[in-house]
Amino acid sequence: MNSTTRPQPISERALVLGGGGSAGNAWLIGVIAGLLEGGLDVTEADLVIGTSAGATAAAQISGASPNDLLAAILSAPPLRPSTGPRGFRPITSAHLERTNAIIAASADLADMRRRVGADAIELAAAAGAAGQEGWRETVAARLPSQDWPPSTVLLTAVDADTGEPVELDRDSGVDLVDAVAASCAGGPAYAIGTRHYIDGGYRRSSENADLAAGYERVLVLSPLGGRTRHPAGWRSDLAAQVEELRAGGSMVETVLPDADSLAAFGDNMMNPATRPPAARAGHLQGRGLAEQIAEFWDR
């Protein structure tokens, strides 16, 4: 399965949705709903790029209104941090330490992707078929529709067998549920056919905004605030990608969590209990930014 080849548009708008766990997904939905309440519908972007939790959000906003998605988060029953299928539980501090060690031992992004991919394949073998099936069921339950939308949605992943970056869309031959599950596979690798995939955040960053190259206006929503665990020399942080996009002629705006949103996230963005406060904070932030972002988005 090869990376998607996309035509470069002359003058279009791209929406980039970054990763950030349970809190990050809820914050993204909240921001988008807040922008909509303020009169700006960014779901009409010509291209939507989603990574990890942002891949889930990209699929969600393509199948339901942001207001309905926000209402569902705020009305959902409380969830425990341990909620999740066997073998595919939320990322723990031990797993972060494990992957931090892999990153520290890697020579560059390509080497890191290969190393993390090999490790994730071992984790998937330990989780077994039940882990894979449970993860797919969990992802499917999060999506309002299991069909790819007619609009252009690009979801990032990494081929765990080769370490090569992969972008999945409706023409990739992969079901939407599988594409989202692959993009969100931060622990065990996720199998599609004979290939294994890991979280799109390992491609370059949690945003992968560089995939919007060639678009006139690029709006990036980054739950992680553009941070990266990679060495500065790899230039995989959001700031480096924004610099590259602007050098290529794109106008770029970024929305990072404000102080209230960061407080709502707490110290564990994987904790499902953070979803309602993160969504509320994102909604307020988006509503407050609507006029400013509209001047950029609709100029």
Side-chain angles (χ1 to χ4, degrees):
M1 189 179 303
N2 297 321
S3 296
T4 302
T5 300
R6 298 177 294 111
Q8 295 299 305
I10 297 174
S11 178
E12 303 291 351
R13 297 173 296 184
L15 173 65
V16 178
L17 304 178
S22 292
N25 172 264
W27 179 81
L28 289 168
I29 296 301
V31 170
I32 294 169
L35 291 172
L36 181 60
E37 185 173 318
L40 177 61
D41 186 2
V42 295
T43 68
E44 296 180 345
D46 302 287
L47 169 69
V48 178
I49 298 168
T51 294
S52 197
T56 304
Q60 288 170 326
I61 64 172
S62 71
S65 76
N67 290 335
D68 289 344
L69 293 168
L70 175 62
I73 293 171
L74 298 181
S75 63
L79 295 173
R80 300 187 304 277
S82 61
T83 299
R86 182 172 63 84
F88 281 80
R89 296 186 184 280
I91 304 302
T92 64
S93 58
H95 182 76
L96 288 175
E97 292 175 3
R98 179 187 182 117
T99 52
N100 281 339
I102 293 174
I103 293 169
S106 300
D108 52 28
L109 275 170
D111 185 36
M112 181 269 294
R113 290 193 296 259
R114 288 189 294 268
R115 289 172 182 259
V116 173
D119 183 67
I121 290 173
E122 291 183 7
L123 293 176
Q132 164 100 6
E133 294 167 3
W135 179 233
R136 192 181 196 282
E137 291 173 0
T138 297
V139 171
R142 295 171 177 169
L143 306 183
S145 172
Q146 297 187 16
D147 297 323
W148 284 98
S151 56
T152 303
V153 174
L154 196 66
L155 307 182
T156 66
V158 172
D159 187 320
D161 299 283
T162 65
E164 291 299 312
V166 176
E167 294 88 49
L168 303 169
D169 64 9
R170 64 175 179 269
D171 297 321
S172 61
V174 174
D175 289 345
L176 178 62
V177 174
D178 287 323
V180 175
S183 186
C184 296
Y190 183 78
I192 303 176
T194 60
R195 310 303 298 176
H196 298 84
Y197 298 89
I198 56 174
D199 196 299
Y202 290 113
R203 175 193 170 274
R204 178 174 179 180
S205 72
S206 295
E207 299 84 18
N208 293 305
D210 58 296
L211 289 171
Y215 281 75
E216 183 182 28
R217 282 160 288 174
V218 182
L219 175 62
V220 184
L221 308 186
S222 174
L224 293 179
R227 300 189 306 275
T228 179
R229 294 189 286 159
H230 303 160
W234 294 4
R235 288 184 57 79
S236 59
D237 58 293
L238 178 58
Q241 295 170 63
V242 170
E243 180 182 330
E244 293 168 8
L245 287 169
R246 287 175 176 161
S250 298
M251 296 182 289
V252 186
E253 287 287 342
T254 61
V255 177
L256 313 180
D258 60 13
D260 289 339
S261 295
L262 291 174
F265 294 170
D267 58 3
N268 180 8
M269 294 180 71
M270 301 305 297
N271 183 354
T274 62
R275 289 181 59 76
R280 290 190 191 95
H283 180 249
L284 288 173
Q285 187 176 355
R287 191 171 61 189
L289 290 172
E291 183 176 352
Q292 171 188 329
I293 300 299
E295 291 179 0
F296 156 76
W297 194 247
D298 294 329
R299 68 172 60 178

